[in-house]
CSV table of all heavy atoms in Angstrom, one decimal:
chain,number,residue,atom,x,y,z
A,312,LEU,N,9.4,-19.2,-15.6
A,312,LEU,CA,9.2,-19.8,-14.3
A,312,LEU,C,10.1,-21.3,-14.4
A,312,LEU,O,9.9,-22.0,-15.5
A,312,LEU,CB,7.8,-20.2,-13.9
A,312,LEU,CG,7.0,-18.9,-13.6
A,312,LEU,CD1,5.6,-19.4,-13.2
A,312,LEU,CD2,7.7,-18.1,-12.5
A,313,GLY,N,10.7,-21.6,-13.4
A,313,GLY,CA,11.4,-22.8,-13.3
A,313,GLY,C,11.1,-23.7,-12.2
A,313,GLY,O,10.1,-23.6,-11.7
A,314,SER,N,12.1,-24.3,-11.6
A,314,SER,CA,11.9,-25.1,-10.3
A,314,SER,C,13.2,-25.3,-9.8
A,314,SER,O,14.3,-25.1,-10.4
A,314,SER,CB,11.4,-26.6,-10.7
A,314,SER,OG,12.1,-27.1,-11.6
A,315,GLY,N,13.3,-25.8,-8.5
A,315,GLY,CA,14.5,-26.0,-7.8
A,315,GLY,C,15.2,-24.8,-7.4
A,315,GLY,O,14.7,-23.7,-7.0
A,316,LYS,N,16.6,-24.7,-7.6
A,316,LYS,CA,17.4,-23.6,-7.1
A,316,LYS,C,17.0,-22.3,-7.8
A,316,LYS,O,16.7,-22.3,-9.1
A,316,LYS,CB,18.9,-24.0,-7.2
A,316,LYS,CG,19.3,-25.1,-6.4
A,316,LYS,CD,20.8,-25.3,-6.5
A,316,LYS,CE,21.2,-26.5,-5.5
A,316,LYS,NZ,22.7,-26.7,-5.7
A,317,PRO,N,17.4,-21.1,-7.3
A,317,PRO,CA,17.2,-19.9,-7.9
A,317,PRO,C,18.1,-19.8,-9.1
A,317,PRO,O,19.3,-20.3,-9.2
A,317,PRO,CB,17.5,-18.7,-6.9
A,317,PRO,CG,17.4,-19.5,-5.6
A,317,PRO,CD,17.7,-21.0,-5.8
A,318,ALA,N,17.5,-19.2,-10.2
A,318,ALA,CA,18.2,-19.1,-11.5
A,318,ALA,C,19.4,-18.1,-11.3
A,318,ALA,O,19.0,-17.1,-10.7
A,318,ALA,CB,17.2,-18.8,-12.6
A,319,PRO,N,20.5,-18.3,-11.7
A,319,PRO,CA,21.7,-17.5,-11.6
A,319,PRO,C,21.5,-16.1,-12.1
A,319,PRO,O,21.9,-15.0,-11.5
A,319,PRO,CB,22.8,-18.0,-12.3
A,319,PRO,CG,22.6,-19.6,-12.2
A,319,PRO,CD,21.0,-19.7,-12.4
A,320,TRP,N,20.8,-16.0,-13.3
A,320,TRP,CA,20.4,-14.6,-13.8
A,320,TRP,C,19.5,-13.8,-13.0
A,320,TRP,O,19.6,-12.6,-12.9
A,320,TRP,CB,19.8,-14.8,-15.3
A,320,TRP,CG,18.6,-15.4,-15.4
A,320,TRP,CD1,18.4,-16.8,-15.7
A,320,TRP,CD2,17.3,-14.9,-15.2
A,320,TRP,NE1,17.0,-17.1,-15.7
A,320,TRP,CE2,16.4,-16.0,-15.3
A,320,TRP,CE3,16.8,-13.6,-15.0
A,320,TRP,CZ2,14.9,-15.7,-15.3
A,320,TRP,CZ3,15.4,-13.4,-14.8
A,320,TRP,CH2,14.5,-14.3,-15.0
A,321,ALA,N,18.5,-14.5,-12.2
A,321,ALA,CA,17.6,-13.8,-11.5
A,321,ALA,C,18.3,-13.3,-10.2
A,321,ALA,O,18.1,-12.1,-9.7
A,321,ALA,CB,16.4,-14.7,-11.1
A,322,VAL,N,19.2,-14.1,-9.7
A,322,VAL,CA,19.9,-13.8,-8.5
A,322,VAL,C,20.8,-12.5,-8.8
A,322,VAL,O,20.9,-11.5,-8.0
A,322,VAL,CB,20.7,-14.9,-8.0
A,322,VAL,CG1,21.7,-14.4,-6.8
A,322,VAL,CG2,19.9,-15.9,-7.4
A,323,GLU,N,21.5,-12.6,-10.0
A,323,GLU,CA,22.4,-11.6,-10.4
A,323,GLU,C,21.6,-10.1,-10.5
A,323,GLU,O,22.2,-9.2,-10.1
A,323,GLU,CB,23.1,-11.9,-11.7
A,323,GLU,CG,24.3,-11.0,-12.1
A,323,GLU,CD,25.0,-11.3,-13.4
A,323,GLU,OE1,24.8,-12.4,-13.8
A,323,GLU,OE2,25.8,-10.5,-13.8
A,324,PHE,N,20.5,-10.2,-11.2
A,324,PHE,CA,19.7,-9.0,-11.3
A,324,PHE,C,19.3,-8.5,-9.9
A,324,PHE,O,19.5,-7.3,-9.7
A,324,PHE,CB,18.4,-9.4,-12.0
A,324,PHE,CG,17.4,-8.1,-12.2
A,324,PHE,CD1,17.7,-7.1,-13.2
A,324,PHE,CD2,16.4,-7.9,-11.4
A,324,PHE,CE1,16.9,-5.9,-13.3
A,324,PHE,CE2,15.6,-6.8,-11.5
A,324,PHE,CZ,15.8,-5.9,-12.4
A,325,ASP,N,18.9,-9.4,-9.0
A,325,ASP,CA,18.4,-8.9,-7.6
A,325,ASP,C,19.6,-8.3,-6.9
A,325,ASP,O,19.4,-7.5,-6.1
A,325,ASP,CB,17.8,-10.0,-6.9
A,325,ASP,CG,16.3,-10.1,-7.1
A,325,ASP,OD1,15.7,-9.0,-7.3
A,325,ASP,OD2,15.8,-11.2,-6.9
A,326,GLN,N,20.8,-8.9,-7.1
A,326,GLN,CA,21.9,-8.4,-6.4
A,326,GLN,C,22.3,-7.0,-6.9
A,326,GLN,O,22.7,-6.1,-6.1
A,326,GLN,CB,23.2,-9.4,-6.5
A,326,GLN,CG,23.0,-10.7,-5.8
A,326,GLN,CD,24.1,-11.7,-6.0
A,326,GLN,OE1,24.8,-11.6,-7.1
A,326,GLN,NE2,24.4,-12.6,-5.2
Side-chain angles (χ1 to χ4, degrees):
L312 293 181
S314 60
K316 295 182 179 180
W320 63 264
V322 174
E323 188 176 351
F324 177 81
D325 270 332
Q326 289 176 340

